[in-house]
Amino acid sequence: MSFVVGLGGGIGSGKTAASDRFEALGVTVVDADIASRTLVEKGRPALQNITKHFGKKILTDEGELDRAELRQRIFTNPEEKQWLENLLHPLIGEEINRELANANPPYSILVSPLLVESGQAQRCDRVLIIDAEESEQLSRTTVRDNNTPEQVMGIIKSQASRETRLAAADDVILNNGTLEELHSAVDQQHTLYLEMALKNT
Ligand code: ATP
């Protein structure tokens, strides 16, 4: 497996904007969020396990996972939340490893909203955090998702604190400016990671 750079950051910090730029530079980007959704697609064993545990009401009429219903079920029930995490975490780890094993050399990016919280940072050779002022996170996310500032603040509070994330970082990109500035910061990191990864092989 090649050199892996974990890319994390709070909601609306600019992880996707940054990882899109890495992708444009030819770097394979594995997205933990997408991996976790792929796992529970119709017909996958994890979805069968979830249906067995929660009952058929957890499925939509089309037989897909009803995410809103699942969120409801685990929101007020820590034991159910734990059950689900015990099922999914190892599977997400396997899915990520499978995708990373097929990545382009010499390095790849693992982007995850829960990089620090989930322990995924520990399997990375380097941790890059995209950091933005809370006011930027709020305004970007409310515009993008049509959420209220209160909803976004709730998510920010449920995530690792800025201090915790920064303490786990080897590298930090401040994303309070324009997209062009973000791209040029990513380009600089890319040069650095190419050097590191090539030294590592
Ligand atoms: P989430 O955790 O919610 O998936 P994220 O960290 O992936 O968020 P992005 O989706 O990359 O964040 O960015 C949030 C929104 O802000 C997007 O609409 C993105 O295009 C925009 N954005 C990101 N960085 C900048 C910037 N420097 N200037 C202007 N807009 C930006």
Side-chain angles (χ1 to χ4, degrees):
M1 200 168 295
S2 69
F3 194 83
V4 178
V5 176
L7 192 159
I11 182 169
S13 57
K15 294 181 295 295
T16 308
S19 65
D20 283 352
R21 180 67 176 184
F22 278 107
E23 207 157 38
L25 295 167
V27 181
T28 301
V29 173
V30 174
D31 186 322
D33 217 16
I34 296 179
S36 69
R37 273 182 266 142
T38 310
L39 267 181
V40 291
E41 279 172 358
K42 207 170 160 177
R44 299 285 294 245
L47 184 57
Q48 287 162 5
N49 267 321
I50 290 172
T51 313
K52 222 186 215 165
H53 184 82
F54 289 99
K56 286 224 164 62
K57 286 210 175 116
I58 209 74
L59 298 176
T60 64
D61 292 344
E62 288 74 39
E64 304 205 342
L65 181 62
D66 186 338
R67 288 172 183 285
E69 175 71 23
L70 184 61
R71 245 192 320 270
Q72 272 300 336
R73 298 276 195 106
I74 63 171
F75 190 61
T76 49
N77 194 329
E79 275 172 30
E80 295 290 42
K81 184 165 185 240
Q82 192 62 51
W83 181 88
L84 190 67
E85 284 177 0
N86 289 348
L87 171 75
L88 292 180
H89 279 183
L91 296 175
I92 294 169
E94 283 171 25
E95 181 75 26
I96 287 171
N97 284 344
R98 216 177 357 256
E99 292 182 29
L100 285 173
N102 292 322
N104 292 337
Y107 83 93
S108 39
I109 295 274
L110 169 60
V111 52
S112 172
L114 298 174
L115 187 73
V116 174
E117 293 89 335
S118 68
Q120 284 157 348
Q122 278 150 13
R123 57 110 47 242
C124 298
D125 299 289
R126 194 88 184 166
V127 171
L128 168 63
I129 295 296
I130 310 299
D131 185 41
E133 293 287 345
E134 210 165 89
S135 57
E136 291 288 348
Q137 288 180 271
L138 269 176
S139 63
R140 287 177 191 153
T141 316
T142 43
V143 169
R144 187 194 57 188
D145 301 338
N146 228 340
N147 278 331
T148 64
E150 290 71 30
Q151 284 169 318
V152 182
M153 271 316 291
I155 297 172
I156 290 177
K157 291 245 152 58
S158 76
Q159 296 184 327
S161 69
R162 204 169 162 193
E163 290 68 30
T164 307
R165 253 194 311 269
L166 292 177
D170 297 301
D171 308 301
V172 177
I173 291 181
L174 264 176
N175 182 27
N176 292 328
T178 63
L179 273 178
E180 288 69 29
E181 286 167 327
L182 174 65
H183 289 171
S184 106
V186 168
D187 295 356
Q188 281 179 32
Q189 287 303 137
H190 175 62
T191 309
L192 193 79
Y193 295 145
L194 282 177
E195 277 171 22
M196 283 181 186
L198 290 170
K199 259 190 216 144
N200 214 47
T201 49

